[in-house]
Amino acid sequence: MDESASREYKLRVKRVHFLVGLLALIAPVLGSDPSLAADHLWTGSRAAEARAAALLGAIRAAGDHGLDPDWYRLADLEKAVSPGGDQDRAEQLLTDAFVAYASDVSTGRVRANSVDKDIDIQQRKADRSELLKQAADATDFPAWLASLPPKGDYPLLQKTLATLRLKRKTATFTAVPSGDALKPGMIDSRVPLLRKRLAELDMAVPVAGPVSDLYDEPLAAVIKTYQATKGLTVDGVIGAKTTQSLNTGLDERIDQVVANLERRRWLPEDLGSRYVFVNAGDYSMVFVNGGRPVFHSLVIVGTAKNPTPEIASVMHGFQINPYWTVPQSISGEEYLPMLRRDPNALAASGFRIFSSWSDNDSEIDPSTVDWNAINPKAFPFRIRQDPGANNALGYIFFPFANKYGIYMHDTATRWLFTEGSRNFSHGCIRLQNPLDFVEKVYGSRGFDKDKVRAAIDDGQQVGYGFPEPVRLYVTYRTVTANAEGSVSFRDDVYGRDRRVVQAMGRPRS
């Protein structure tokens, strides 16, 4: 053999060795039979066909997760796997459908941050190659596929979705007309319709008295129960918010469940053992430590015009007796009209006005400014409120990184916690008992609540660091389930659930 032929022979041997080694590396990805080609995950063997059957079963039941089987081309899949179908086409269709379904059911159908400008979370993202490898490696593929959705209250939401869809087949709907506030003791033609609507909502409605149009106390008690379940002000008065809630139909409630299933898929499967979970949808906050809830609180969140965003962040500590620097948008929209009427209108509440956003020596006399000439959309001054009883942040302030400039804080208007629908802020989160929360965060690690209260009373401006950072999740769950299995609905004040459902139905990019 000449030298040239020898080199060619050695090269061929190296190629063979390379291919053998490559096959050994990828054999685990191909399943138990190394002779299967890499693109035969669903056809060509009994095991592959069993995987395909399990996948088709899961896609047929995608509606249980608020997903649509048609999004995964179910009709094309069933045709492709029928006898005499093209195996290569079946492999491609099944692979694409599998990756799409597995991703949707585990991490969400849509990219959350594209749905709404007020959503900025670190959503998980499924990896195509990793999903395919796990599918091939799974010794029990149906069980592995069933393990992909979140845990927690997710199965209860699924059960609620199924119940509502079943009820929709026979449900009736009676609209309650809008009008002036209907109060107990009043006679109104809406009362018989109100009784019918409450019965449709599975409320225990008392029998009407001799005057069928009388809004009596027994019926008002049922309304109060209804208001409590929906996070409305519990006063028995049929106002605009209660009327709107009563007129929310089953289709809208079903969409809410679908949106909340999707929203749960956006979050990490494991939120951690120590975190704060704020739900702007039901005005609540919980602090979880060591994997169990140790502190609950009511919160006040943003209005429909200034909604509280959905974010994930970290809190490192808190400050007492903070200044409040008014955002430019609030200065222009809310405070400029007051200054135009009276240049000194803000002074009584401890506000000062500065010409610079960084120089605290640039305070100006508001009476020297022609406020009528100021553009509200380009407010040039910095308005800052001094610490004290009237400060909008109250006495305690919890900063955390986010692009919206919101934070959690105490409040000077604590009476608002008695309201049912607590949408009053400009997006920030007002906490009912902030020092009690801090005490739970510190646990047994040296927090002296009385000492901090004394520092507050002395007017000290002090920052305190937590013993360890606390993870923060701010979400918008309008349908929740508790440990006892009870499901609660809140009204979609922000209209965000509707936008989530609309985005889910759009073709995948």
Side-chain angles (χ1 to χ4, degrees), residues 323 343-344 346-348 350-369 371 381-386:
Y323 288 114
N344 296 304
L346 302 180
F351 287 96
R352 301 175 184 271
I353 302 176
F354 300 84
S355 61
S356 168
W357 281 81
S358 57
D359 183 1
N360 289 329
D361 293 327
S362 63
E363 184 176 356
I364 64 172
D365 181 348
S367 63
T368 63
V369 178
W371 296 108
F381 301 105
R382 172 168 57 107
I383 299 179
R384 190 189 73 185
Q385 189 178 29
D386 289 337

Side-chain angles (χ1 to χ4, degrees), residues 50 102 127 147 150 158 167 186 248 315 331 334 343 357 404 417 465:
D127 180 84
S147 73
Q158 287 185 283
K167 184 177 179 180
M186 295 175 64
T248 300
M315 295 193 297
S331 297
E334 299 184 19
W357 281 81
Y404 302 97
F417 287 107

Side-chain angles (χ1 to χ4, degrees), residues 66-74 100 104 109 504-506 508:
L67 306 171
D68 188 338
D70 288 342
W71 294 341
Y72 313 103
R73 302 176 63 181
L74 178 60
D104 290 355
R109 164 77 180 171
M504 290 176 68
R506 297 187 192 113
R508 185 182 299 275

Side-chain angles (χ1 to χ4, degrees), residues 48 108 166 271 418:
L166 184 63
L271 299 179
T418 62

Side-chain angles (χ1 to χ4, degrees), residues 97-110:
F98 162 72
V99 171
Y101 171 79
S103 175
D104 290 355
V105 83
S106 60
T107 64
R109 164 77 180 171
V110 298

Side-chain angles (χ1 to χ4, degrees), residues 332 336 340 371-380:
L336 180 57
R340 285 173 173 172
W371 296 108
N372 290 311
I374 300 299
N375 181 355
K377 296 187 181 300
F379 194 84

